Amino acid sequence: MTRTALPGSQFLNGNLWKILPLALLLCTTFVLPALAQEKDKLWRTLSVTGRGVETTPATLAQVSLGVEIQGKTAQEVQQEAARRSSAVVAFLKSQNVEKLQTTGIQLNPVYSYTNNVQRITGYAATNTVSFRIPTEKAGTLLDDAVKAGATQINGISFVANDQAIAAAQKQALKEATQDAQLQADAVFSALGFKPKEVVSIQVNNASPPPPPMFLRAEAAKVADASTPVVGGEQQVEASVTLQISY
């Protein structure tokens, strides 16, 4: 069987190897400069990190307090701890505290050691709760919570409200961005380079947790005096990294 060649096929077959190098050359001519430009854009960049700090009043006190009961039997101390804790929680609810929640319930044996022999002499039950209250009301509320049955003040820290923190975050980010831009301008000016464009932006941090201030007191030590509580300010920090081509 004889195949008939299509018209022009001999021309294509004969000249294909002549056309391909030219096509590859044209493709390379256009692609290589583009790759070179991208590489140049990638390598000729300056990275700077700016920092912004905004201070806002800490108007809320984050309080942790609880009830600790000791007795001879587990059932006895658990029931008494539940009774007193219920009274404390009812009091806190009547004061319209914010974010009230139980943070711990524990029942543990109490040991004594005689002649290196360990034996159980009783049990201790602890119930703890946390909540938020305006700072100016915290002192009086702590005193009244002790009267309601609380036996421990485990910790207190001071924070700003959510709206104030959100506003401080935005301002800190703005300050961090401006700081990064000023740093970049100073470097480019010193080196005699001209900045082109910001090719990447990274927000590293916007609000680290505030360091807590802890205090611990037994009920008998605070029941007869008004507990002074002074808040303070909360810092919101932000850092922004800019990568700028030149």
Side-chain angles (χ1 to χ4, degrees):
M1 180 177 179
T2 303
R3 291 185 178 181
T4 303
L6 294 176
S9 61
Q10 292 181 351
F11 172 80
L12 290 175
N13 290 335
N15 291 276
L16 180 60
W17 296 107
K18 297 179 181 180
I19 297 174
L20 279 177
L22 178 61
L24 291 173
L25 177 62
L26 291 175
C27 181
T28 304
T29 301
F30 289 105
V31 171
L32 287 181
L35 291 176
Q37 290 175 3
E38 289 298 321
K39 183 177 179 181
D40 183 65
K41 182 178 179 181
L42 178 64
W43 284 103
R44 292 180 59 86
T45 59
L46 171 70
S47 293
V48 289
T49 299
R51 181 172 177 266
V53 180
E54 188 68 14
T55 301
T56 185
T59 57
L60 296 174
Q62 178 79 37
V63 181
S64 173
L65 56 79
V67 171
E68 182 178 12
I69 303 296
Q70 293 190 10
K72 292 186 177 181
T73 67
Q75 182 177 7
E76 173 190 348
V77 297
Q78 183 64 23
Q79 288 179 348
E80 181 62 16
R83 184 187 69 80
R84 290 200 188 185
S85 297
S86 296
V88 172
V89 169
F91 164 72
L92 294 174
K93 287 182 177 180
S94 72
Q95 301 301 304
N96 297 319
V97 300
E98 300 178 8
K99 299 185 178 181
L100 175 63
Q101 62 179 354
T102 298
T103 54
I105 298 177
Q106 293 183 342
L107 176 63
N108 299 308
V110 177
Y111 298 97
S112 67
Y113 296 86
T114 305
N115 297 326
N116 293 325
V117 177
Q118 173 183 294
R119 67 187 185 90
I120 297 176
T121 57
Y123 292 86
T126 305
N127 291 1
T128 57
V129 296
S130 68
F131 58 91
R132 286 186 178 182
I133 190 74
T135 302
E136 66 273 12
K137 298 180 180 180
T140 301
L141 184 137
L142 289 175
D143 298 336
D144 292 339
V146 169
K147 295 175 183 178
T151 61
Q152 293 180 339
I153 300 172
N154 298 318
I156 181 169
S157 60
F158 302 99
V159 295
N161 61 49
D162 295 341
Q163 293 81 3
I165 291 177
Q169 286 176 342
K170 292 180 181 179
Q171 184 61 28
L173 285 170
K174 182 179 179 180
E175 293 173 2
T177 304
Q178 293 173 342
D179 180 42
Q181 188 67 63
L182 288 173
Q183 291 183 53
D185 291 344
V187 173
F188 286 132
S189 176
L191 296 176
F193 294 138
K194 291 184 178 181
K196 293 181 180 179
E197 60 179 344
V198 176
V199 296
S200 72
I201 302 172
Q202 181 180 357
V203 178
N204 300 322
N205 200 5
S207 182
M213 297 177 60
F214 292 105
L215 63 88
R216 183 179 178 89
E218 297 299 327
K221 297 180 182 179
V222 298
D224 296 330
S226 178
T227 304
V229 176
V230 181
E233 295 178 325
Q234 180 180 5
Q235 281 191 343
V236 176
E237 299 183 6
S239 59
V240 173
T241 299
L242 302 180
Q243 192 173 18
I244 304 172
S245 62
Y246 61 92

